[in-house]
Amino acid sequence: MSHDLLQMHLKAVISCLVIVLYKVHTTKAGQFFSSGHTNNWAVLVCTSRFWFNYRHVANTLSVYRSVKRLGIPDSHIVLMLADDMACNYRNPKPATVFSHKNMELNVYGDDVEVDYRGYEVTVENFLRVLTGRLPPSTPRSKRLLSDDRSNILIYLTGHGGNGFLKFQDSEEISNMELADAFEQMWQKRRYNELLFIIDTCQGASMYERFYSPNLMALASSQVGEDSLSHQPDLGIGVHLMDKYTFYLLEFLEEVHPASQANMNDLFKVCPQSQCVSTPGHRTDLFQRDPGSVLITDFFGSVRKVEITKDTINLTSPVEPPIKRSGSSDIQIESLTYVDQLPVAEIIHQKPKQKDWHPPDGFILGLWTLILLVFFQTYGIKHLKHIF
Amino acid sequence: FRFPSPIGHISTCPSLIGQCCKTHPGSFQEELVIRPLHSGDIYASFQFRTLWDTDFLQEGQKVSHYRLFPKSLGQVLSKFSVRELHISFTQGFWRTMQWGQPFIPSPPGAELWVWFHDTVSDVDGNWKELTNVLSGIFCASLNFIDLTNTVQPSASFKPLGLGNATDHRFLRYATLPREIVCTENLTPWKKLLPCGSKAGLAVLMKSEKLFHSSFHSQAVHIRPICQQCSSKAWELRQTLNVVFDLHTSGQGKKEWSLFKMFSRTLTEACPLASSSKVYVDITDNPEGELFELSPATPLLGQAVVLGDRRTYSVYDLSRAETFGQLRSFNLLLRWKGDSGDMLRPLLHAERYVAGFGLQTGEIHTVIYNNHPYRAFPVLLMDSVPWYLQLYIHTLTVTSKSRDNKPSYIHYQPAKDRHRPHLLEMLIQLPPHSMTEVTVQFERALLKWTEYTPDPNHGFYVGSSVVSALVPSMVAMRTNFTQDQPLFSSFVPVKEESSYFVRVYTEPLLVNLPTPDFSMPYNVICLTCTVVAVGYGSFYNLLTRTFQVDEPSPPLSKRLANLIRRMRGVPLLT
């Protein structure tokens, strides 16, 4: 009987082990398939103009750099920089934007594509990019072509206040407008999950009014607090980065595409002892538990690969068309170059045909006056001489 | 939306290049010309030419296989029926008096001019869409080009490619003088090359060195040309001109090398290139007394460019011995003596704004003809934005302090917020003279939403363009051959005695009267305060009544009154 008991115990232990292992396997597999997104997009915006706001451009470029490094391609990143710092005439090292003093890290790099630059970074363009309501001739690189399975990262930086963010020193976007824009995106199913990060003064006020589902927000400071800049570089003469984004960049430099770091680690970035301001976050609108959301769900572009064992037959390539035979006769008369400055032709050029315009109001009025005077002086019976 | 460059071809087809070219017509040539300048600076000009023997616009032929020609540009050409496209991005201003004439001139900022085919019915619509598509391809704000800064020149900017019809309704020209050029414009430009920036001469293009220069200009020129004039081909030329300053890049030492200029050396030619050459201008150094050039090369070439016969040392990168033992090619120029004075360029132009205050001003354009005895005509094209209202009745053209009447004037007045001014004049320049063109203008008041976020910087006026056929000292070649270097075969030459040159003047920066943008806020605050104080007092005066109100007695008095009432004694007041 003790032998049976032992066997029963052994069976129980083995089944427990199997169940535990199966659970672990399903949670890992479950995690793999539970995120629900198939593509990643990023919208990175710097809203400040002028040389002394160098740090905002450096902030945006460091997030751009991390996002590119973790796998999101340029075609899926909409980068908006309100002013040019790298080739600014005040930059002692042109074509560079540094994030660390003593010029340790050039976040601008050699392979950067800015989609909206200079005067194009306006509130209207930002909201149009988010909601997708762009004029039909907008090129693809300037559009956010996300669908309902896209995870989008939105990063804003600049000067802000309680409930607003300043764009280019001339206009501002309010937290209500931003919340409405996200609601429009939700109703048009333009995102699966959205991570919103803002690094401005009183940044938490910008996410107070959100009401759409699947939004997670992070800010560098609470209402009533200022976000501070990190360190100046005496060679360049300006502050290089803001504190929150500096520590965010340090955190992201350790993340690699296969990393398992989750959102709870991101919330711990830059505590008050380092940042002086208190970073805040908002997860009540987010459906998943932040502990199960990987950093690479938003910052990276991890593709799911399905391995198949079936063979696929490729169709034969399109044959290039044979050299044109009949076209040579048509083209013989046009194989000449034009004179670059045909002086005689220019002097004797006929004046351009002016388009006919209907007579202007002034001319019409003048003629009416003349006719009226005529008929007043000579009477109406003279009309028959005319008609 | 970027397409990857066909790098895969490098590994699969190096030994089959001859065979490849038979089935896929087209070729790619790259060259670098280095010209030491008299001021100690050095001028480097890259030219990449992709030829494609096909016709986009032929009926029934759908082009879907792109090999060397970039697909993004090919699709643009066929969709918008473009006959010729010239776009350039420039940072800095070309100093003609110190540096001579560039191989391919360009104005500061961005410039775009396009010839459309005669089959296009709505040129303005195509132009608008084309500028938007190009702004996406080159990461530039070309979408700011609209009808308020586009002109249709009537005599300038004749097509540089094949064709005989020149109806100016199909030409559009626009410049954006404020456009900034930085690495984000260089990145997509490099991606248009067949080898990208991974092999060939394009490895030298590192943005940190290229933008730390006095002048940087990158351009794309697409036009149809004829190969031995038997067949038509599309030519895509990508040019990059850069002038490195002696003091900022050269550290004051008159010693230049490829490594010092570009922080890279060359290791191989682009495998897809049919020719890959480096030319160094040694015309001023025939015996080697001015500077020393190493590594030495036996190859010498001569070319007639810009009216002058120049001698070049040629390095052929397709030959392995150019790279030497170390498999790396680094050119070195070391100066030994001082160079004399430079020959003055024959044509030179300047422009500035005169006057004071924020209401009126005067634009002066000065054109110099430095030829000792020959007079030649120049075509001056001015495109002024509508907010500088020109008074054409004050236009004066004077040469040698005498009135010089232009033989052709085309003026199209501006329409507020619709069209800019266009002024084109054909002026005969007397020999060895200075011609001055002046016109007065008045500054307009813009609506407050039309100001840029930094209006106190000023508003830009695009460069004037001076086109001329300058008499040449040396006979120019009128037909192009295959082996001619690229830099001498850009502009088609019709006659031997003159060469075509285009000179751009400086752009102007004018201040418009700028309002105080905080005034609406001030006015609202002040008005509301005045209204509140005034109306409030008035309302009070009319409706306020006064009542006598007895104060409630304190607690002690109330208690005392209570006790007195109980006692039946009179109460306290």
Side-chain angles (χ1 to χ4, degrees):
Chain A
M1 205 173 82
S2 62
H3 186 71
D4 288 329
L5 211 62
L6 201 64
Q7 271 209 328
M8 237 171 66
H9 274 293
L10 214 62
K11 272 202 192 127
V13 163
I14 290 171
S15 52
C16 273
L17 260 168
V18 165
I19 290 168
V20 161
L21 276 171
Y22 180 67
K23 253 205 155 45
V24 164
H25 177 73
T26 43
T27 40
K28 268 213 149 36
Q31 208 174 55
F32 189 72
F33 287 109
S34 75
S35 58
H37 72 279
T38 55
N39 54 76
N40 285 80
W41 287 82
V43 178
L44 311 173
V45 184
C46 161
T47 59
S48 307
R49 170 165 281 274
F50 305 121
W51 173 245
F52 50 83
N53 290 322
Y54 182 102
R55 59 189 185 280
H56 297 140
V57 171
N59 288 352
T60 318
L61 286 173
S62 39
V63 178
Y64 172 76
R65 176 203 145 78
S66 312
V67 148
K68 257 181 94 155
R69 197 175 50 83
L70 292 171
I72 303 187
D74 268 315
S75 53
H76 282 228
I77 303 178
V78 177
L79 179 61
M80 301 170 81
L81 297 180
D83 201 359
D84 170 57
M85 299 301 164
C87 290
N88 196 314
Y89 295 114
R90 285 168 140 172
N91 193 347
K93 296 211 79 179
T96 58
V97 174
F98 292 108
S99 60
H100 289 61
K101 69 173 179 198
N102 301 324
M103 303 181 189
E104 279 166 25
L105 179 60
N106 174 16
V107 288
Y108 194 57
D110 217 9
D111 183 21
V112 57
E113 284 172 15
V114 181
D115 302 302
Y116 287 85
R117 55 188 207 149
Y119 298 132
E120 288 176 289
V121 179
T122 57
V123 174
E124 185 191 338
N125 280 351
F126 175 58
L127 292 177
R128 280 186 187 278
V129 163
L130 287 183
T131 54
R133 288 152 66 179
L134 289 158
S137 50
T138 316
R140 290 182 74 140
S141 58
K142 286 182 162 174
R143 287 180 189 259
L144 178 66
L145 298 164
S146 55
D147 51 30
D148 61 321
R149 302 283 293 279
S150 312
N151 272 13
I152 308 183
L153 165 72
I154 297 186
Y155 178 82
L156 290 175
T157 182
H159 288 290
N162 190 354
F164 68 91
L165 170 62
K166 189 170 73 158
F167 265 71
Q168 292 219 43
D169 216 18
S170 64
E171 46 181 8
E172 47 206 40
I173 186 172
S174 66
N175 49 6
M176 208 58 230
E177 281 175 359
L178 198 56
D180 287 340
F182 287 152
E183 176 63 16
Q184 276 192 53
M185 287 174 80
W186 175 252
Q187 291 194 3
K188 282 162 71 163
R189 296 289 178 267
R190 278 171 68 80
Y191 69 90
N192 174 37
E193 284 168 349
L194 201 143
L195 175 63
F196 176 76
I197 305 183
I198 184 161
D199 187 353
T200 63
C201 301
Q202 308 193 48
S205 61
M206 289 304 283
Y207 62 64
E208 272 173 358
R209 305 290 199 108
F210 289 172
Y211 55 93
S212 317
N214 285 352
L215 291 178
M216 192 184 320
L218 275 113
S220 59
S221 55
Q222 300 291 334
V223 175
E225 282 181 349
D226 284 339
S227 289
L228 302 175
S229 57
H230 189 60
Q231 40 173 224
D233 180 299
L234 297 175
I236 300 177
V238 284
H239 284 260
L240 295 180
M241 284 274 269
D242 277 334
K243 283 192 155 67
Y244 181 73
T245 314
F246 181 81
Y247 290 106
L248 180 69
L249 176 67
E250 274 194 5
F251 171 77
L252 287 173
E253 290 283 297
E254 323 248 299
V255 174
H256 54 90
S259 142
Q260 295 293 309
N262 58 35
M263 282 296 156
N264 285 332
D265 304 324
L266 193 62
F267 296 155
K268 291 198 204 102
V269 162
C270 207
Q272 200 183 7
S273 52
Q274 278 178 329
C275 255
V276 184
S277 58
T278 320
H281 54 91
R282 181 176 176 179
T283 52
D284 56 314
L285 294 165
F286 205 74
Q287 275 164 17
R288 289 194 285 153
D289 171 41
S292 67
V293 179
L294 298 176
I295 299 280
T296 50
D297 279 353
F298 288 103
F299 285 87
S301 184
V302 183
R303 304 293 173 134
K304 296 190 193 18
V305 176
E306 285 180 22
I307 302 173
T308 171
K309 290 213 170 73
D310 311 322
T311 49
I312 300 169
N313 288 322
L314 296 170
T315 53
S316 55
V318 175
E319 284 298 317
I322 308 157
K323 282 269 176 46
R324 50 236 183 279
S325 45
S327 55
S328 49
D329 332 304
I330 314 163
Q331 285 173 4
I332 278 177
E333 356 88 38
S334 66
L335 291 182
T336 49
Y337 290 98
V338 178
D339 212 354
Q340 287 300 305
L341 193 71
V343 177
E345 207 185 288
I346 291 171
I347 294 176
H348 297 113
Q349 216 173 22
K350 269 203 287 248
K352 253 195 350 200
Q353 297 287 352
K354 284 211 178 49
D355 302 324
W356 181 81
H357 292 288
D360 219 352
F362 176 71
I363 305 289
L364 268 176
L366 197 64
W367 275 107
T368 320
L369 191 67
I370 292 170
L371 282 170
L372 265 172
V373 166
F374 175 79
F375 287 123
Q376 281 226 308
T377 38
Y378 295 109
I380 219 80
K381 59 182 182 333
H382 285 265
L383 259 179
K384 66 175 196 298
H385 291 286
I386 302 165
F387 293 108
Chain B
F1 202 79
R2 320 263 171 244
F3 290 95
S5 48
I7 294 299
H9 284 275
I10 292 179
S11 52
T12 52
C13 185
S15 56
L16 301 167
I17 278 185
Q19 203 164 346
C20 275
C21 293
K22 282 201 197 97
T23 50
H24 305 285
S27 67
F28 174 65
Q29 293 159 287
E30 54 178 20
E31 71 176 34
L32 165 63
V33 182
I34 296 181
R35 188 164 100 189
L37 301 168
H38 280 254
S39 48
D41 308 327
I42 194 150
Y43 170 36
S45 170
F46 291 85
Q47 284 213 26
F48 301 93
R49 181 168 89 158
T50 310
L51 276 177
W52 195 17
D53 302 329
T54 186
D55 199 353
F56 288 108
L57 297 140
Q58 211 174 18
E59 300 300 320
Q61 188 175 356
K62 188 167 174 290
V63 179
S64 55
H65 181 76
Y66 292 85
R67 185 174 161 259
L68 296 170
F69 203 91
K71 184 173 177 179
S72 46
L73 288 180
Q75 289 182 324
V76 160
L77 292 180
S78 51
K79 181 163 184 216
F80 299 112
S81 310
V82 168
R83 189 169 124 193
E84 253 187 59
L85 186 128
H86 301 268
I87 183 167
S88 72
F89 297 96
T90 312
Q91 178 203 59
F93 182 66
W94 182 268
R95 294 166 214 285
T96 316
M97 290 306 274
Q98 285 147 316
W99 299 339
Q101 291 282 2
F103 293 124
I104 297 182
S106 51
E111 184 203 37
L112 172 66
W113 56 281
V114 174
W115 275 92
F116 290 95
H117 265 271
D118 344 18
T119 52
V120 173
S121 52
D122 180 18
V123 182
D124 283 328
N126 273 26
W127 171 250
K128 184 84 196 126
E129 288 194 28
L130 177 66
T131 50
N132 277 312
V133 167
L134 288 174
S135 86
I137 295 178
F138 291 107
C139 285
S141 343
L142 296 174
N143 46 319
F144 285 135
I145 293 178
D146 54 10
L147 293 171
T148 58
N149 48 20
T150 310
V151 288
Q152 290 184 39
S154 65
S156 315
F157 294 103
K158 297 272 181 211
L160 284 167
L162 287 179
N164 46 8
T166 56
D167 186 351
H168 284 265
R169 285 181 296 138
F170 297 103
L171 169 64
R172 292 290 185 274
Y173 174 85
T175 68
L176 290 173
R178 186 82 202 264
E179 193 63 21
I180 300 160
V181 186
C182 208
T183 314
E184 64 252 23
N185 305 111
L186 188 64
T187 310
W189 188 93
K190 283 197 285 191
K191 288 185 182 164
L192 295 173
L193 295 170
C195 281
S197 54
K198 296 183 172 61
L201 290 172
V203 277
L204 296 177
M205 293 182 188
K206 289 292 154 201
S207 53
E208 285 188 27
K209 285 288 187 175
L210 283 182
F211 290 102
H212 198 50
S213 55
S214 310
F215 179 82
H216 171 99
S217 168
Q218 60 198 58
V220 170
H221 301 275
I222 305 178
R223 57 177 180 162
I225 63 163
C226 60
Q227 291 272 75
Q228 277 95 33
C229 280
S230 55
S231 59
K232 209 163 150 177
W234 280 92
E235 180 195 73
L236 164 69
R237 260 192 213 235
Q238 289 179 254
T239 63
L240 195 140
N241 292 340
V242 62
V243 174
F244 291 103
D245 188 61
L246 173 67
H247 298 284
T248 48
S249 313
Q251 286 112 40
K253 278 197 295 193
K254 269 184 134 182
E255 185 184 301
W256 289 105
S257 70
L258 279 186
F259 190 75
K260 195 175 183 189
M261 291 195 279
F262 303 108
S263 69
R264 289 283 185 285
T265 57
L266 290 167
T267 49
E268 58 166 341
C270 173
L272 296 170
S274 59
S275 102
S276 177
K277 295 200 166 91
V278 177
Y279 295 87
V280 183
D281 190 337
I282 54 168
T283 320
D284 302 321
N285 190 37
E287 313 298 321
E289 73 276 3
L290 190 60
F291 57 82
E292 181 195 311
L293 181 62
S294 69
T297 175
L299 292 171
L300 281 178
Q302 279 210 340
V304 180
V305 59
L306 297 169
D308 198 9
R309 177 165 284 121
R310 315 285 297 181
T311 317
Y312 295 90
S313 286
V314 184
Y315 296 88
D316 194 348
L317 297 176
S318 47
R319 294 211 235 152
E321 56 262 19
T322 322
F323 296 101
Q325 295 279 10
L326 301 161
R327 302 279 197 88
S328 130
F329 172 66
N330 186 15
L331 200 63
L332 189 61
L333 288 100
R334 200 180 284 119
W335 261 255
K336 290 195 265 191
D338 254 327
S339 51
D341 284 323
M342 169 182 97
L343 267 174
R344 286 219 305 195
L346 292 176
L347 180 65
H348 173 53
E350 279 172 2
R351 194 177 182 212
Y352 55 91
V353 172
F356 60 92
L358 285 174
Q359 193 177 4
T360 53
E362 208 171 272
I363 298 181
H364 289 244
T365 311
V366 183
I367 312 174
Y368 297 91
N369 175 2
N370 294 325
H371 202 285
Y373 53 86
R374 290 282 299 271
F376 52 86
V378 299
L379 188 62
L380 170 68
M381 188 188 96
D382 248 318
S383 161
V384 179
W386 64 267
Y387 41 80
L388 293 189
Q389 295 156 340
L390 296 181
Y391 290 125
I392 289 294
H393 71 279
T394 58
L395 176 70
T396 59
V397 183
T398 44
S399 314
K400 289 182 170 170
S401 46
R402 265 182 302 146
D403 222 7
N404 183 353
K405 191 164 180 304
S407 19
Y408 169 79
I409 301 186
H410 171 73
Y411 173 62
Q412 193 182 53
K415 231 177 178 179
D416 273 2
R417 299 179 180 86
H418 281 283
R419 215 170 52 194
H421 298 272
L422 174 66
L423 179 62
E424 276 184 282
M425 293 191 288
L426 186 69
I427 309 170
Q428 188 80 6
L429 298 182
H432 206 71
S433 68
M434 177 186 99
T435 306
E436 192 164 345
V437 178
T438 59
V439 62
Q440 287 181 7
F441 66 87
E442 196 178 82
R443 294 166 222 235
L445 274 174
L446 297 178
K447 294 184 183 165
W448 76 294
T449 46
E450 290 172 343
Y451 286 96
T452 53
D454 53 351
N456 290 300
H457 179 89
F459 288 78
Y460 282 87
V461 177
S463 316
S464 297
V465 187
V466 177
S467 322
L469 277 172
V470 180
S472 153
M473 293 184 276
V474 169
M476 305 283 295
R477 288 176 72 166
T478 48
N479 50 351
F480 295 145
T481 52
Q482 271 286 77
D483 55 346
Q484 213 176 354
L486 294 176
F487 59 90
S488 62
S489 61
F490 183 57
V491 181
V493 179
K494 282 278 184 176
E495 46 163 20
E496 292 183 332
S497 56
S498 56
Y499 64 97
F500 179 73
V501 80
R502 198 171 269 147
V503 177
Y504 290 93
T505 62
E506 296 95 326
L508 302 173
L509 184 60
V510 289
N511 264 32
L512 289 183
T514 309
D516 180 0
F517 292 101
S518 63
M519 275 318 280
Y521 166 75
N522 295 344
V523 165
I524 291 171
C525 279
L526 191 66
T527 316
C528 289
T529 312
V530 165
V531 165
V533 169
Y535 178 71
S537 327
F538 194 61
Y539 181 77
N540 273 343
L541 267 176
L542 290 177
T543 57
R544 193 162 50 187
T545 53
F546 291 99
Q547 287 173 320
V548 177
D549 193 23
E550 285 184 16
S552 59
L555 186 64
S556 50
K557 233 188 196 167
R558 271 193 273 157
L559 272 173
N561 277 343
L562 191 68
I563 295 167
R564 281 185 175 218
R565 211 181 282 134
M566 284 198 305
R567 281 172 56 195
V569 166
L571 302 170
L572 291 171
T573 48

